[in-house]
Amino acid sequence: ARALARSPQVEAIRIGGRDRAKAEALVDELAGELSVKVEAAPTIEDAVRGADIICATTHSDRPVVRREWLRPGVHINSVGYNATGEGEVDGATVRDALVVVESRTAALAPPPAGAVELRRAIEQGVIIPDHIHVELGEVVVGTVKGRTDETQITLYKSVGVAVQDAAAAALVLRAARDRGVGAVVDV
């Protein structure tokens, strides 16, 4: 929410969740610091319907993003994971979207790694593995085209890769050292 609020194109942020009280608490936390309108949606469906950008970050064992709720041209960031369920994005969305991943190998890795949504869609015959053919780095450097028209649905399915974890850890460590917090432990 903090990152999206920095974009001049973002006018409002709707927070939806399985627990309305937690969604409202997050809205209260963000409302005072963000320069855009922040509101709690009555349901996850209400948060998703009509959105231009959806950020799903759940451990839900069933989809919280459903194709029938999506408008043309929506972009979805999905980072949630639950190995025992269907994932947070339904197969119809995976089928209809341009799917972008950090690494095809990582996204299609067998459990407990990989993207459960992509694996389930392949198992159910909704897509074939070749449907997952765009890596984020390829889009960033311009060797592969991302969105091809304004109505195309795009889905960034993140499973994380070790280098991201190492980079994040290095930032946290540097910040702790700069602030003089934490403790050095010999292992």
Side-chain angles (χ1 to χ4, degrees), residues 115-128:
V116 68
E117 294 89 347
L118 306 182
R119 187 173 58 254
R120 297 279 190 257
I122 292 167
E123 289 168 355
Q124 296 165 359
V126 174
I127 63 168
I128 60 172

Side-chain angles (χ1 to χ4, degrees), residues 25-66:
L26 181 56
V27 166
D28 290 343
E29 177 185 330
L30 295 171
E33 66 180 84
L34 300 184
S35 60
V36 299
K37 179 181 176 182
V38 183
E39 60 189 9
T43 67
I44 294 173
E45 179 180 350
D46 290 321
V48 169
R49 282 193 183 272
D52 296 316
I53 302 167
I54 298 165
C55 297
T57 59
T58 73
H59 293 289
S60 181
D61 62 350
R62 60 182 164 255
V64 297
V65 176
R66 297 196 168 276

